[in-house]
Amino acid sequence: MLLCIDCGNTNTVFSIWDGEGFLDTWRIATDHRRTADEYFVWLSTLMGLKKISAEITQVIISSTVPRVVFNLRVLCNRYFDTRPLVVGKPECALPVAPRVDQGTTVGPDRLVNTVAGFNKFGGDLIVVDFGTATTFDVVDIDGAYIGGVIAPGVNLSLEALHMAAAALPHVDVTRPQSAIGTNTVACMQSGVYWGYIGLVEGIVRQIRIERERPMRVVATGGLAPLFAQGFDLFDAVDDDLTMQGLVLIHKYNTALETV
């Protein structure tokens, strides 16, 4: 079986692919100090609870936190006797190379979203990922990543607001009943929610103007469904886009090895 690992700035997600679908998915807080042994105890315990007994023989990793990759490599080598494929490294090929400024390093998560988005929805696509940062990935007609936008994430914005203004509390992200808040919490929730609706609308509109063509928009990430409620911002919402991309990239590299 294939173990897919998506390491983000906030959480690391582990999913097991059996060739036809994902058996299960688990999340753990991202921490570069976590050892390979700790990963294995945690993962094997969860697999046991789900009665998943099949052996993991292959691993693919996407990580926006480079310091975490070392212990994940040790995990793969020590407990699964395999060398992981790491997105963004020279040995990990992509179906279509990104077209960006020379010397630019593209985040692995953005490459993975591009591959999955193109496979499922085709080219001329904007993938909006609501993670620690809110990213907009522009996918060309042939599936190449050609650039995008990085904005502060929703929770990051709320945390910054709370930390910078002593009188403002920490609040959860939710859709307010109205734009005009009648208390501090409602005012903050309104500012973040409607602010991000406007941010998405404005950036998508500008990308479409610059591309001079229709561009479909797909949203992913944990907060994507919240911002899709009652609006036509997105043509589709797909929470599993990143994991699907990891499977596709692994299949592509496996096929190259057999040629």
Side-chain angles (χ1 to χ4, degrees):
M1 290 191 300
L2 172 65
L3 174 61
C4 300
I5 304 175
D6 173 35
C7 178
N9 290 293
T10 304
N11 293 315
T12 300
V13 183
F14 290 69
S15 289
I16 296 178
W17 173 265
D18 68 355
E20 296 182 358
F22 290 107
L23 299 181
D24 216 322
T25 297
W26 304 283
R27 292 176 180 269
I28 191 170
T30 299
D31 185 351
H32 71 273
R33 298 168 298 179
R34 186 170 287 113
T35 67
D37 303 325
E38 289 175 306
Y39 279 121
F40 180 72
V41 170
W42 172 80
L43 182 60
S44 59
T45 300
L46 291 173
M47 290 176 64
L49 290 173
K50 289 292 185 176
K51 295 181 171 56
I52 299 174
S53 57
E55 183 180 1
I56 292 173
T57 57
Q58 296 173 308
V59 181
I60 182 168
I61 300 170
S62 168
S63 178
T64 58
V65 186
R67 296 176 69 185
V68 174
V69 176
F70 174 78
N71 282 325
L72 290 175
R73 285 185 181 272
V74 175
L75 167 72
C76 298
N77 178 63
R78 180 179 298 169
Y79 291 105
F80 305 135
D81 192 26
T82 186
R83 181 180 181 182
L85 190 65
V86 181
V87 179
K89 298 298 183 182
E91 65 271 17
C92 181
L94 299 172
V96 184
R99 292 194 287 271
V100 293
D101 293 344
Q102 187 173 1
T104 299
T105 300
V106 181
D109 54 331
R110 310 186 78 177
L111 298 175
V112 172
N113 285 345
T114 294
V115 171
F118 178 71
N119 178 76
K120 193 166 186 178
F121 302 101
D124 285 335
L125 184 71
I126 304 169
V127 180
V128 184
D129 190 344
F130 291 91
T132 304
T134 301
T135 59
F136 297 72
D137 303 323
V138 182
V139 185
D140 208 348
I141 188 65
D142 63 347
Y145 171 86
I146 57 171
V149 176
I150 301 175
V154 180
N155 285 310
L156 188 63
S157 295
L158 275 173
E159 187 66 25
L161 191 61
H162 167 65
M163 292 179 66
L168 297 181
H170 187 279
V171 300
D172 294 327
V173 183
T174 187
R175 179 177 178 176
Q177 294 183 348
S178 62
I180 302 173
T182 54
N183 56 69
T184 301
V185 170
C187 289
M188 293 175 65
Q189 290 174 333
S190 180
V192 170
Y193 185 84
W194 295 111
Y196 270 84
I197 291 292
L199 180 144
V200 172
E201 288 178 330
I203 290 176
V204 167
R205 179 171 59 251
Q206 187 60 33
I207 290 174
R208 285 172 169 159
I209 290 172
E210 293 180 10
R211 295 289 291 161
E212 298 181 332
R213 67 185 72 183
M215 302 284 291
R216 285 182 293 177
V217 184
V218 176
T220 190
L223 291 176
L226 174 65
F227 288 95
Q229 294 178 6
F231 296 97
D232 294 326
L233 289 177
F234 313 119
D235 296 289
V237 175
D238 192 330
D239 292 338
D240 294 327
L241 203 62
T242 302
M243 287 300 167
Q244 294 169 21
L246 285 173
V247 171
L248 290 166
I249 292 173
H250 184 270
K251 286 182 177 178
Y252 180 77
N253 282 267
T254 301
L256 289 179
E257 292 175 359
T258 60
V259 175

